[in-house]
Amino acid sequence: MLAKESSVENGRLCSRSGPLPPEILSEIFNFCLPSESTRTNTFLHLLPPLTLTWVCRYWRNLCLSLPSLWTDVIIGHHGTDPVGDARILDMWIPRSGCLPMSFKLNHESKDELDDLYFDSSQTYTNGIRTLIGKSLACVHRWRKFEIHALDVSMLEQVFAAQVIDAPQLECLGFSADHLGFFGDVRRLDFSLCSSLKTICLRTPMICPTNTAIMENMTNLELWFCTSIEDCLQWIDICPALERLFVRLFCSRPELLEQVTEWASSEPRQGTMRHLQQLTHLEIYGTSSETDLGPLIDVLNVPALRALQVTMFDMLDVDPDWTHILDCVRRSHPPLETLKISGTPMLTEDILECLELLPGLTKLSLGKAHQADILIQALSVPQHNLRAGENNMLPGAMHERVVCPSLRALDIANSVWTLELLVDMIASRCLRNHVTESSGGHANLEKLYIYETPAAALKRHHIIRECLDQGLSIVEREPDRLQDIFSPPRIVPT
């Protein structure tokens, strides 16, 4: 009977004694499940497990008896109707039984329909509310919940709950097309999310109300942070962070022309935060009123391996801006990756910082700094002299190799002199240019530069030799402030 109902392809999954046992076929079905990238790029209803149910009655019944096939939902990436996608939840949620579920709801509008979608009577808004309502009905089973909507107001059902009762939740993400820095602060209590490891907030004005420590939180992304106090409040309840990403839009809440009420106890800015497990820190300052220095000053990060500080040359402050250097002196981190772009930091302070970080393998330097002095300082000794000592730039002479482990240098945000850059590259790429007194150092493997001057650099005969020796020159666009303000297009992975 089964053979008559099965397609030819299904018949191939038979042994001589008959159809494969359900245990083996179940394992095959699990291997058929698409990856997250495939789910993102293809309509969910055109992928397994749903397509497996179309083959024959036997396969359908077996698929419906396996809750593990129905635990991941990714919808909305192709402009699908939220109302229609709600029907997918009606299938997936009951079929997943009692297992933890992952939801990725990425529903945004097309630009020409934005005004229509903002009308609360329209299909989009009703559809989003339906999707959130169905998801909230099984909040106790959330393993991952990430949602991208047209506006943060569409997510009010989540915030209305105030307390997220999701003991199995590991990853939570909110993002919106339209960003608003005014109005009410949305508050959520995460104290019942004991398994929570990652929070990604790509929309402003969301803060925690719980003061209980979130011991399992390791990854925090605050894309639109409106004050240092806001950031510190998160840090205070997440002492086990391993990765922290912050975009600070205003370090003084009063500039937002609103009274911001955060937790019952305001975080103390002068108190040192000891983040013993933090390995990656990425922070951005995005206005002339945003100084990242006070935030850096209260962080002790002895395990830090990657640090990125980007300020777009917008802050006009006292030149004695030594916050990054002070952090390195205080924490003694084993930094491997460092990006300093557009900060008020003096060149001599950057040089001192580099001398304290012999383990750096990737370095990125930004616009406001004197790139030629830094490039010459990175040259292997006796190759930072070109045509005699009279051409030596002040502060560039070093007796030992600065950043001996350096393998990648990014100067796409800097302006530099061709011959000085060629000298430095040659001293780090061509072994026959290195003297015995220079000591050991790693070869420079990658150079990131702006595409306009790349052609002239590649034509240089010494650089061609370095390319033959394995150097890779990567062309990229400089960092742009307007990219920071672009809304996220997809929910974070």
Side-chain angles (χ1 to χ4, degrees):
M1 182 67 180
L2 176 63
K4 293 181 180 179
E5 293 180 352
S6 302
S7 66
V8 174
E9 288 75 18
N10 187 17
R12 294 174 182 170
L13 297 179
C14 295
S15 65
R16 291 183 179 180
S17 59
L20 291 178
E23 296 80 7
I24 297 178
L25 199 54
S26 299
E27 290 297 319
I28 294 174
F29 287 173
N30 277 299
F31 280 110
C32 289
L33 294 179
S35 64
E36 184 167 333
S37 61
T38 301
R39 289 189 178 101
T40 302
N41 296 318
T42 310
F43 292 107
L44 192 64
H45 65 273
L46 299 179
L47 293 170
L50 190 60
T51 53
L52 296 175
T53 66
W54 302 342
V55 175
C56 67
R57 183 178 303 172
Y58 176 59
W59 279 29
R60 175 180 172 80
N61 292 337
L62 183 57
C63 286
L64 295 181
S65 70
L66 299 172
S68 62
L69 300 181
W70 308 91
T71 57
D72 293 319
V73 178
I74 300 179
I75 51 179
H77 289 79
H78 305 278
T80 53
D81 176 13
V83 175
D85 284 345
R87 292 192 289 269
I88 291 180
L89 294 188
D90 287 337
M91 286 191 290
W92 258 252
I93 292 176
R95 293 178 182 182
S96 61
C98 298
L99 296 181
M101 291 195 70
S102 295
F103 297 91
K104 181 174 284 191
L105 315 178
N106 188 50
H107 290 83
E108 58 185 21
S109 72
K110 297 181 180 179
D111 293 340
E112 62 270 18
L113 297 179
D114 282 356
D115 293 337
L116 174 66
Y117 281 165
F118 265 115
D119 186 338
S120 61
S121 67
Q122 297 301 314
T123 301
Y124 174 83
T125 302
N126 293 334
I128 289 293
R129 289 174 177 170
T130 301
L131 287 173
I132 295 177
K134 292 181 181 297
S135 301
L136 284 172
C138 60
V139 64
H140 58 287
R141 293 172 51 205
W142 285 2
R143 179 179 59 210
K144 178 187 292 186
F145 184 79
E146 300 171 345
I147 184 167
H148 177 81
L150 178 63
D151 183 77
V152 69
S153 63
M154 306 291 179
L155 311 178
E156 288 300 337
Q157 288 164 277
V158 179
F159 304 124
Q162 296 185 345
V163 178
I164 297 183
D165 186 4
Q168 301 183 80
L169 182 64
E170 297 179 0
C171 177
L172 179 67
F174 297 117
S175 59
D177 266 5
H178 295 269
L179 307 174
F181 292 91
F182 303 93
D184 295 334
V185 175
R186 277 86 177 180
R187 299 176 177 84
L188 284 173
D189 187 338
F190 300 96
S191 58
L192 298 181
C193 302
S194 57
S195 301
L196 195 56
K197 297 178 181 178
T198 297
I199 292 180
C200 180
L201 302 180
R202 301 191 178 193
T203 184
M205 313 305 289
I206 300 177
C207 75
T209 59
N210 55 293
T211 57
I213 299 300
M214 302 170 68
E215 297 180 351
N216 293 318
M217 269 289 298
T218 58
N219 186 16
L220 177 62
E221 297 185 20
L222 306 174
W223 280 54
F224 301 100
C225 203
T226 52
S227 73
I228 289 178
E229 289 83 357
D230 181 14
C231 180
L232 291 179
Q233 184 178 351
W234 281 103
I235 291 175
D236 286 344
I237 61 174
C238 304
L241 285 177
E242 296 175 4
R243 293 175 177 266
L244 175 61
F245 176 103
V246 178
R247 286 179 178 172
L248 189 63
F249 276 77
C250 181
S251 56
R252 291 170 22 213
E254 63 268 25
L255 294 178
L256 296 176
E257 299 180 357
Q258 63 180 12
V259 178
T260 304
E261 296 180 0
W262 303 105
S264 55
S265 59
E266 186 173 325
R268 296 168 295 168
Q269 283 204 39
T271 304
M272 188 64 63
R273 274 69 177 182
H274 300 278
L275 300 177
Q276 303 292 337
Q277 301 177 49
L278 193 71
T279 59
H280 291 73
L281 175 61
E282 187 172 343
I283 52 178
Y284 295 80
T286 58
S287 77
S288 59
E289 299 295 340
T290 302
D291 186 359
L292 298 176
L295 175 59
I296 299 172
D297 282 345
V298 296
L299 299 181
N300 181 35
V301 285
L304 197 65
R305 295 188 175 276
L307 172 62
Q308 176 173 331
V309 181
T310 304
M311 297 177 67
F312 301 99
D313 297 308
M314 298 188 66
L315 189 63
D316 185 15
V317 296
D318 188 322
D320 189 24
W321 199 89
T322 60
H323 307 282
I324 296 175
L325 177 57
D326 294 340
C327 182
V328 170
R329 288 170 175 166
R330 176 174 63 249
S331 303
H332 304 288
L335 274 182
E336 299 172 356
T337 300
L338 175 64
K339 179 175 182 178
I340 304 175
S341 181
T343 72
M345 196 171 180
L346 296 177
T347 302
E348 52 263 37
D349 292 331
I350 296 179
L351 285 175
E352 183 177 349
C353 191
L354 297 182
E355 290 176 342
L356 295 173
L357 300 170
L360 277 184
T361 59
K362 182 175 182 179
L363 174 64
S364 179
L365 301 171
K367 300 174 184 176
H369 313 119
Q370 300 177 25
D372 279 350
I373 292 179
L374 295 171
I375 287 173
Q376 200 164 16
L378 289 171
S379 298
V380 172
Q382 297 190 16
H383 276 268
N384 49 17
L385 288 174
R386 184 174 184 80
E389 293 185 1
N390 292 335
N391 284 348
M392 190 67 187
L393 293 176
M397 185 62 181
H398 291 268
E399 295 181 356
R400 58 189 177 86
V401 179
V402 177
C403 302
S405 302
L406 191 65
R407 296 185 180 275
L409 177 64
D410 187 340
I411 51 174
N413 293 312
S414 301
V415 178
W416 35 266
T417 300
L418 178 62
E419 293 303 326
L420 289 175
L421 181 60
V422 169
D423 245 9
M424 185 277 294
I425 294 173
S427 73
R428 285 183 171 267
C429 291
L430 304 178
R431 287 297 184 184
N432 58 320
H433 285 256
V434 181
T435 62
E436 293 181 1
S437 62
S438 65
H441 67 86
N443 270 15
L444 189 66
E445 298 174 356
K446 282 191 176 182
L447 179 69
Y448 299 82
I449 59 174
Y450 180 42
E451 59 183 357
T452 301
L457 181 66
K458 289 180 178 179
R459 287 196 299 267
H460 199 286
H461 68 281
I462 293 180
I463 297 303
R464 290 202 301 268
E465 186 178 350
C466 293
L467 291 172
D468 291 340
Q469 293 294 323
L471 175 67
S472 173
I473 296 180
V474 181
E475 301 175 20
R476 77 169 185 87
E477 291 290 328
D479 298 337
R480 302 183 304 171
L481 180 60
Q482 55 264 40
D483 293 337
I484 295 294
F485 289 89
S486 300
R489 308 310 297 174
I490 60 171
V491 180
T493 54

